[in-house]
Amino acid sequence: MLDRKILDMKDEIIQSIQKCVQIKSVEEGSKGNMPFGEGVYKALEYSLKLSENLGFNTVNLDNMIGYAEYGQGDEMVAVLGHLDVVPEGDGWKYPPYGGEIHGGKIYGRGTTDDKGPTIGAIYALKAIKDLNIPLNKRVRIIFGTNEETGSNCVKHYVKKGEEIPVAGFTPDSEYPIINGEKGIVTSKYKKVLDSKGDLILKSIRGGIAPNVVPDYAEALIKGEKQKINSIKMLKDKYKDIVIEEKDNEILIKSYGISAHGSTPHKGKNAIMNLILFLNDIDFSLDTNEFLCFMKEYIGLNTDGKSLGINLQDEVSGSFIFNLGTIIGNEEEIAIEMNMRYPVTKKFEDFIDIFKEKMEIGRLQEVYTRHKHSLYVSPDSEFIKKLQKVYEEKTGEKAELICIGGGTYAKAMDNIVAFGPVFKGQPKVEHQPNEYIEIDSLMKSIQIMAAAICELAK
C-alpha cells in the first residue's frame, strides 16, 4: 500500500525535483540574510514551501538550515539531506540546471547529490502521512545548505539547541548501508614566486573544487619567440595537451577525466598532467622549485605514498589523496588538496608528515580543515533496522561498507548514509551530466519510506 501510494505521486515527485534542480544552489558569499548566497537560499526557501504545501510543519533556522516535521512522540528520527551543490564544471550534454528528462533519467547538478533524494524523502513522509500509518516517534526531514563546503549548517542546527535524532540516515551515498566514512582533510597552500627569467608563468588555473578530480587546467607562458618555439616541441611527449600560440605568449591546455575526490583513481588529474609538462620548461628558480616539488611529492599518486604517508586498514582501505585546484600568477601559486584517511586511523597519524613535506617545497599554509572519521558498530540497533528494511525491499543481503566519501553522518550523531545509489550503478555525483534514473529514484523513495516507518515504530 505504501509503495503504491508513492508510485501514484510519481509525476508530482519528478516535477518537484526538476524545480529544485533548476535553482543553481552553488555556495557564494554571504548576501544580506542569505549566509551562503542567493541560490542556496532559494533552494531552501523552495523546499520549505513545498513541505508546507504538503501539510508539514516547517522551521527555518536563520536561512542556514531548515526542516519539515510530522508526527508525535518524545523521540525524533531524521532524514538529513542537503540542497547545495558543487559547481557544474564543463562537459555537459544537457543543461546542468535544466532538470531535463532523457532516456528515463533526470539530468542536472544535484539530481543524485543530493536534491533528488532529499525531495524524495519529503514525499516518502507524505505517503506515510496520507495513509495515516501509525508512528511512535516524530520525523524530521532536515534540509542542509552547506554540506559540500563544511557542514556549517548542521553545526548551526546543533548550536541553536535543536533536537538530535535518536536514529536516522542521509540519502547521500549508496546502498546498502555506510557504517564507516574516512576522515577528510582539505588544505590550501601557497608559494610566493620571484618571476625573473626568460620565460614567465603568467597564469595557471585548474579545477572547480578540492573534492573533485580536475578535468581541465591551463597555463599561460610569456617569453621570447625562440623560447616559445622550444616549448611547442615538447607537445609530442605528452598526451591530452593542447597548445595555442599568440605573439610572445603560449597557452597550454591540459585535459583530464573528472571523478569524485573520494575515488581519484577513477579520474585523470588535468592539473598534474599540466605540471608534468611544465617541468620540462626552464622558468625562474622559485617556479621551477614549485614544479619539481609537485612532480616528486604529489605526482599522479592517489594514495599519499609520494608524500611519505602510508596509512591503511582492513575496514576501509588506503589513504586517499586528490589535488583539486590550482590558481596562480607571476607572484604566487595556490593549490587545494583533499585527503581521506582510514576509519581506524587518526588525523595525528599523518598530518605532521604532510606538513613537513609542504615545508620542503617552501609552501605556506593558508588553511587546513578536518572532518573526523566515522565508524558505527554493526551491532547498533538502528543499523540492524536499516539492514532489515533493505533486505525486505530488495531481496539482497544488506552488507555494511566503508567509503572514502564524507556525508552529513559525520556532522550529526546517530546518522549513517543510506542510498540512493544501488549496487552496480555508476557514481555520477560531482561529474558532468549528473543524473538520477527515475525508476531507481522511485524504488529508493519506497525504501526510505519503509525505513522511516521502521525507525519511528
Side-chain angles (χ1 to χ4, degrees):
M1 184 165 51
L2 184 55
D3 286 353
R4 181 71 258 169
K5 177 64 178 177
I6 290 168
L7 290 177
D8 288 344
M9 296 188 291
K10 179 178 178 179
D11 291 344
E12 184 181 350
I13 292 170
I14 291 171
Q15 291 171 11
S16 296
I17 291 172
Q18 287 177 303
K19 289 178 182 178
C20 195
V21 169
Q22 287 162 2
I23 301 169
K24 183 177 179 178
S25 54
V26 176
E27 182 179 344
E28 300 171 328
S30 176
K31 181 180 179 182
N33 64 343
M34 299 175 284
F36 304 122
E38 187 173 358
V40 175
Y41 166 81
K42 287 183 176 179
L44 177 60
E45 182 183 47
Y46 169 79
S47 300
L48 291 173
K49 186 64 177 177
L50 173 65
S51 300
E52 289 178 6
N53 291 340
L54 295 178
F56 300 118
N57 298 320
T58 62
V59 172
N60 183 342
L61 298 173
D62 306 314
N63 294 327
M64 292 187 72
I65 191 168
Y67 59 84
E69 184 170 284
Y70 169 72
Q72 297 180 342
D74 295 332
E75 295 179 325
M76 180 267 290
V77 300
V79 180
L80 176 58
H82 70 89
L83 303 170
D84 59 313
V85 298
V86 297
E88 65 275 15
D90 300 319
W92 286 79
K93 182 177 181 180
Y94 305 112
Y97 302 106
E100 294 183 3
I101 297 175
H102 301 276
K105 303 170 182 176
I106 310 173
Y107 282 85
R109 183 58 87 220
T111 47
T112 291
D113 182 20
D114 186 37
K115 291 178 176 179
T118 302
I119 298 298
I122 304 173
Y123 281 92
L125 190 58
K126 175 174 170 52
I128 293 169
K129 179 176 75 72
D130 288 354
L131 293 173
N132 292 313
I133 296 175
L135 304 176
N136 293 320
K137 299 179 180 70
R138 287 170 290 114
V139 181
R140 283 186 184 179
I141 310 298
I142 305 176
F143 307 109
T145 60
N146 176 236
E147 192 272 346
E148 298 290 1
T149 49
S151 298
N152 290 317
C153 50
V154 177
K155 294 174 186 175
H156 186 72
Y157 177 97
V158 174
K159 184 178 179 180
K160 296 285 284 189
E162 287 290 336
E163 187 176 357
I164 303 300
V166 295
F169 59 89
T170 177
D172 191 24
S173 187
E174 59 189 285
Y175 289 115
I177 300 160
I178 310 300
N179 72 316
E181 298 182 12
K182 291 182 176 180
I184 301 178
V185 177
T186 302
S187 284
K188 182 176 183 178
Y189 276 75
K190 69 177 183 180
K191 182 173 178 64
V192 178
L193 303 174
D194 178 359
S195 297
K196 296 177 182 177
D198 294 331
L199 289 171
I200 302 296
L201 183 60
K202 287 194 66 177
S203 66
I204 186 168
R205 68 178 183 91
I208 59 173
N211 59 348
V212 180
V213 177
D215 60 5
Y216 178 76
E218 66 178 35
L220 181 64
I221 303 168
K222 182 178 181 181
E224 297 177 356
K225 186 72 173 178
Q226 184 178 356
K227 296 286 186 179
I228 293 295
N229 287 336
S230 68
I231 296 175
K232 291 162 60 179
M233 297 175 64
L234 298 171
K235 181 183 180 302
D236 292 340
K237 290 176 58 178
Y238 296 89
K239 295 180 179 179
D240 302 313
I241 292 290
V242 174
I243 294 178
E244 296 179 2
E245 182 183 4
K246 183 179 181 181
D247 298 328
N248 291 331
E249 293 183 344
I250 190 168
L251 182 66
I252 315 296
K253 296 182 177 180
S254 172
Y255 294 90
I257 299 172
S258 182
H260 194 283
S262 64
T263 55
H265 61 283
K266 294 183 178 180
K268 181 176 180 180
N269 197 302
I271 294 175
M272 273 313 307
N273 189 45
L274 176 63
I275 286 174
L276 294 177
F277 179 91
L278 296 177
N279 259 274
D280 281 348
I281 301 172
D282 188 20
F283 293 104
S284 67
L285 181 61
D286 285 337
T287 304
N288 285 338
E289 181 182 54
F290 170 79
L291 294 171
C292 288
F293 169 82
M294 295 295 289
K295 179 180 179 180
E296 180 175 356
Y297 291 100
I298 306 299
L300 298 173
N301 194 293
T302 60
D303 62 8
K305 289 182 180 178
S306 295
L307 288 163
I309 300 170
N310 188 17
L311 293 182
Q312 58 184 350
D313 64 21
E314 293 184 1
V315 178
S316 60
S318 300
F319 186 89
I320 297 172
F321 179 90
N322 181 57
L323 171 64
T325 72
I326 190 168
I327 185 74
N329 52 36
E330 299 176 39
E331 298 179 351
E332 72 174 38
I333 298 177
I335 56 174
E336 288 180 296
M337 298 156 285
N338 186 248
M339 298 167 281
R340 298 162 192 255
Y341 61 91
V343 299
T344 63
K345 304 299 180 180
K346 298 178 181 178
F347 177 70
E348 292 77 15
D349 291 336
F350 73 92
I351 193 60
D352 287 344
I353 298 172
F354 171 72
K355 290 187 175 183
E356 286 171 5
K357 295 301 188 296
M358 294 297 107
E359 289 176 3
I360 290 174
R362 295 197 295 161
L363 273 73
Q364 304 170 21
E365 182 178 1
V366 178
Y367 70 74
T368 295
R369 298 168 182 157
H370 174 220
K371 293 182 181 179
H372 60 81
S373 59
L374 168 75
Y375 185 67
V376 179
S377 170
D379 296 325
S380 299
E381 181 181 359
F382 85 101
I383 292 289
K384 291 185 178 299
K385 287 184 175 182
L386 291 177
Q387 285 180 304
K388 174 177 177 287
V389 168
Y390 180 82
E391 290 176 355
E392 288 177 349
K393 301 299 290 185
T394 67
E396 300 175 356
K397 183 174 175 57
E399 298 174 346
L400 302 181
I401 53 180
C402 293
I403 61 169
T407 73
Y408 268 148
K410 284 194 179 83
M412 185 175 288
D413 291 341
N414 306 321
I415 296 286
V416 294
F418 185 59
V421 180
F422 290 94
K423 289 181 181 179
Q425 290 184 324
K427 297 177 182 178
V428 295
E429 65 273 22
H430 293 201
Q431 296 187 36
N433 299 309
E434 179 183 344
Y435 65 83
I436 193 163
E437 294 180 3
I438 293 173
D439 288 347
S440 294
L441 168 69
M442 300 308 297
K443 182 178 179 181
S444 185
I445 295 172
Q446 291 171 339
I447 291 174
M448 286 194 285
I452 291 170
C453 290
E454 184 67 24
L455 295 175
K457 286 200 303 188

